[in-house]
């Protein structure tokens, strides 16, 4: 069972949650769940959406790859979704690293910190790792990965 970590009054993060944890977060007053997992990941909770909605939780699955974390346009969609979800919201993935990185970036940019600076902080905290591959003097590719 993964630990649910309360980040602030509006947001919490976790790895893959169990049916028992879904009931606990509903009982604790959470209003929604944002699942960042892709359908082909191992260890998914079957019928998570149905279970969450049965408990009165608003549920969205927004599959997010690790590589998406460094794309500001993709994160804008995720951030807009987080902003619109009823609070408090639990955001989860497989091991809570993606959810932690996204929540950190969300809170930082909401506080007016530039995306690039917030991304650098997630790297410094070890939540994500970026490798730049220089193809020539004018081009580089940035790869984001989890440790």
């Amino acid at each position: 069972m993964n630990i649910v970590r309360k980040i602030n009054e509006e947001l919490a993060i976790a790895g893959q949650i169990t049916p028992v944890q879904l009931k606990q977060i509903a009982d604790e007053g959470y209003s929604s769940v944002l699942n960042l997992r892709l359908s082909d990941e191992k260890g998914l909770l079957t019928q998570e959406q149905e279970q969450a909605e049965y408990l009165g939780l608003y549920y969205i699955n927004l599959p997010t790859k690790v590589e998406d974390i460094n794309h500001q346009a993709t994160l804008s969609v995720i951030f807009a979704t987080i902003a619109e979800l009823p609070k408090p919201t639990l955001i989860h993935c497989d091991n809570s690293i993606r959810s932690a990185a996204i929540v950190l970036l969300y809170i930082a940019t909401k506080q007016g910190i530039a995306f690039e600076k917030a991304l650098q902080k997630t790297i410094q905290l070890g939540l994500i790792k970026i490798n730049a591959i220089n193809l020539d003097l004018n081009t580089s590719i940035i790869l984001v990965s989890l440790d």
Side-chain angles (χ1 to χ4, degrees):
M1 183 182 301
N2 282 292
I3 298 171
V4 174
R5 293 175 176 89
K6 185 176 178 178
I7 303 302
N8 59 27
E9 294 302 313
E10 294 187 343
L11 301 171
I13 61 169
Q16 179 59 59
I17 53 177
T18 66
V20 170
Q21 287 174 308
L22 271 175
K23 174 133 179 43
Q24 286 174 341
I25 64 168
D27 291 346
E28 290 173 10
Y30 282 83
S31 298
S32 58
V33 173
L34 174 58
N35 177 359
L36 300 173
R37 299 195 71 187
L38 286 81
S39 60
D40 61 351
E41 290 184 44
K42 293 180 182 177
L44 290 171
L45 176 60
T46 57
Q47 299 179 334
E48 182 174 326
Q49 180 171 357
E50 292 82 359
Q51 292 180 44
E53 290 174 348
Y54 176 79
L55 294 167
L57 297 165
Y58 190 84
Y59 180 92
I60 292 182
N61 177 231
L62 198 58
T64 305
K65 295 179 183 177
V66 173
E67 300 83 31
D68 296 337
I69 293 175
N70 74 332
H71 295 291
Q72 194 168 2
T74 302
L75 282 176
S76 293
V77 172
I78 297 170
F79 292 171
T81 301
I82 293 170
E84 293 174 11
L85 283 170
K87 305 295 185 292
T89 299
L90 173 69
I91 301 173
H92 83 84
C93 57
D94 60 339
N95 60 10
S96 77
I97 295 175
R98 270 179 290 176
S99 55
I102 286 170
V103 167
L104 175 63
L105 289 167
Y106 173 77
I107 292 170
T109 56
K110 191 175 174 184
Q111 292 175 347
I113 298 171
F115 173 78
E116 293 77 17
K117 188 172 183 178
L119 182 62
Q120 188 61 39
K121 186 64 175 175
T122 62
I123 295 164
Q124 290 171 351
L125 291 172
L127 294 174
I128 58 176
K129 180 179 176 184
I130 293 190
N131 301 312
I133 302 171
N134 290 317
L135 301 175
D136 59 41
L137 295 176
N138 299 319
T139 310
S140 65
I141 297 174
I142 297 177
L143 304 173
V144 177
S145 63
L146 302 177
D147 288 337

